[in-house]
Amino acid sequence: MDGPRCESQDLLAWFDRCRRDLPWRSTSDPYRIWVSETMLQQTQVERVLPYYEQLVSTFSDVDALARAPLEDVLAVWSGLGYYRRARYLHAAARQIVARGGFPRTMAGWLELPGVGPYTAGAVASIAFGERVPAIDGNAARVLSRFAALEDSPSGKTGRRRLTALAESLVDDDRPGDSNQALMELGAVVCRPSQPRCHECPLEASCKGRLQGAAEAYPRRKPSRQVIEERRLGVVVRAGGRVLLFRRPEGASLLAGLWEIPWIAWCARDNAARELRSRYGGNWDLDRSCGWVRHSITHRDIRFEVWTGRLTSGCHIAENPEAGWYTETEVGGLAVSSLVDKVMRCAAD
DNA sequence: GAATCGTGGCG
DNA sequence: TCGCCAAGATT
């Protein structure tokens, strides 16, 4: 006896035996499952865990989340990355409350902001038992290796073939578990590098394995070149507080988050003028503070941090986007981890 | 379809 | 150090 049904049962049996005990697996609450799936977008389980606990304990249900100010949600999200997810989560919570409850189908979930094919399929199958696939990076890798798919999962053809294969494997009685089994297998056994094929319930029929080249899948396309940017940042202290500015809500990058003042490195010779044009106020910098003190590399941004204070008579605090915070308060704000790094570094 | 959005871990 | 990657969605 062979075929998709048999493999699907092998997979489920393996999942029942080996599944990790995760907080969102011990609940049937759609709210918690939705929150976890949103946080898990492009983010590994281990990193999500503390943020998940913090969010669901701060906002115990969708009503609490919908009532909360966006700023509070961003503060909880602070450090997790992809902050757009927090905004969409918050907006979707308000839509859910407005429509009187959670959607019960994948199609319904797809109408919510921040919910794409994966998240919609995951929530619909796990929380509501709908027989739809949920294809994340793990599932895509497992299936690509299993069927030795030659098309890249990001392409149209590859996506279509993956979806067809995943649909054929969704268990009629336990759709949520069979989806999670595929993802779990990819995370724990069918890993990106050095897959543990000898522990895999699908080993015997895996085409990639039979070719002796499981790691060659999924096929991927060449990546782009990274260009490094260099910036001059300023940590301004006064009376035990540090000056931060909030980025515009419409910014494409880190929108609405707090950051230290900075300018392009090439404009450092006119630092005071550049800072004035960007943030307003008076930026006559105290000469006694010296020049560059620290250097931090973060992704493709190199930050040269200049620590100091402003001369008296500056009017920066009149800028509505400006705020003075103590070092400990910064930790509770919606800041990126870059700011976190800079503050720690500049505190030495 | 390609680029973009954060961050941390890994070999 | 560097490239890749990790439970994707949006424009």
Side-chain angles (χ1 to χ4, degrees):
Chain A
M1 178 168 166
D2 57 358
R5 176 177 302 169
C6 176
E7 275 121 18
S8 171
Q9 293 307 312
D10 291 344
L11 191 56
L12 271 177
W14 172 85
F15 184 62
D16 290 336
R17 195 169 66 248
C18 302
R19 59 186 279 172
R20 289 172 292 180
D21 188 19
L22 303 173
W24 46 85
R25 284 185 177 160
S26 56
T27 179
S28 59
D29 182 359
Y31 170 67
R32 297 196 168 217
I33 291 167
W34 166 52
V35 167
S36 74
E37 293 301 343
T38 303
M39 287 187 158
L40 286 163
Q41 290 169 7
Q42 294 284 282
T43 310
Q44 289 168 318
V45 167
E46 292 303 318
R47 277 189 49 66
V48 164
L49 285 170
Y51 289 91
Y52 170 82
E53 298 290 2
Q54 184 63 40
L55 194 144
V56 298
S57 66
T58 306
F59 314 108
S60 60
D61 55 33
V62 67
D63 293 290
L65 183 60
R67 276 196 310 270
L70 174 61
E71 200 69 14
D72 293 359
V73 182
L74 285 170
V76 171
W77 205 276
S78 193
L80 187 58
Y82 284 126
Y83 300 99
R84 213 169 36 177
R85 293 182 296 177
R87 300 168 172 280
Y88 287 140
L89 190 78
H90 185 246
R94 299 196 161 174
Q95 290 187 25
I96 289 166
V97 169
R99 71 189 287 287
F102 294 105
R104 303 185 62 82
T105 64
M106 176 171 175
W109 279 95
L110 278 172
E111 293 175 5
L112 293 169
V115 178
Y118 164 72
T119 306
V123 178
S125 64
I126 297 171
F128 297 100
E130 188 179 4
R131 291 196 288 274
V132 288
I135 308 169
D136 71 331
N138 288 318
R141 183 172 56 255
V142 172
L143 297 176
S144 294
R145 288 173 176 172
F146 178 73
L149 297 178
E150 294 301 327
D151 311 279
S152 165
S154 55
K156 191 175 181 180
T157 305
R159 176 57 51 180
R160 193 180 65 244
R161 292 182 172 161
L162 270 181
T163 304
L165 183 53
E167 281 173 344
S168 75
L169 290 174
V170 175
D171 188 83
D172 285 340
D173 301 320
R174 304 170 58 189
D177 283 346
S178 70
N179 281 332
Q180 290 189 81
L182 217 46
M183 296 188 272
E184 186 84 344
L185 190 66
V188 177
V189 173
C190 195
R191 306 179 300 180
S193 64
Q194 301 178 348
R196 302 175 173 175
C197 295
H198 54 288
E199 298 177 20
C200 181
L202 306 180
E203 181 181 14
S205 48
C206 175
K207 289 185 78 173
R209 170 65 171 168
L210 292 172
Q211 291 175 7
E215 270 188 273
Y217 298 91
R219 302 300 196 200
R220 44 185 171 272
K221 45 191 175 178
S223 61
R224 73 182 174 91
Q225 165 186 358
V226 174
I227 300 168
E228 184 178 278
E229 184 182 339
R230 207 168 170 198
R231 297 176 178 178
L232 175 66
V234 190
V235 175
V236 184
R237 293 198 165 86
R241 293 177 178 273
V242 61
L243 178 63
L244 298 179
F245 284 85
R246 193 152 54 85
R247 297 172 59 80
E249 290 295 337
S252 62
L253 182 62
L254 303 174
L257 270 56
W258 293 89
E259 65 177 3
I260 64 168
W262 63 270
I263 58 173
W265 178 253
C266 61
R268 65 191 182 283
D269 290 335
N270 295 313
R273 190 166 58 82
E274 288 294 325
L275 287 163
R276 184 164 58 248
S277 73
R278 176 183 280 254
Y279 300 103
N282 176 8
W283 285 88
D284 288 337
L285 299 159
D286 189 331
R287 296 213 177 261
S288 67
C289 70
W291 268 101
V292 173
R293 297 275 303 277
H294 308 282
S295 175
I296 296 175
T297 300
H298 179 82
R299 202 174 154 83
D300 22 350
I301 298 176
R302 170 172 290 280
F303 238 78
E304 309 285 351
V305 183
W306 180 19
T307 305
R309 54 194 174 84
L310 300 177
T311 53
S312 58
C314 74
H315 303 296
I316 301 230
E318 292 177 6
N319 184 325
E321 303 300 316
W324 293 90
Y325 295 94
T326 67
E327 307 262 346
T328 51
E329 283 170 345
V330 172
L333 285 176
V335 298
S336 75
S337 69
L338 170 57
V339 172
D340 208 40
K341 272 188 201 171
V342 169
M343 296 305 301
R344 261 204 306 277
C345 170
D348 297 340

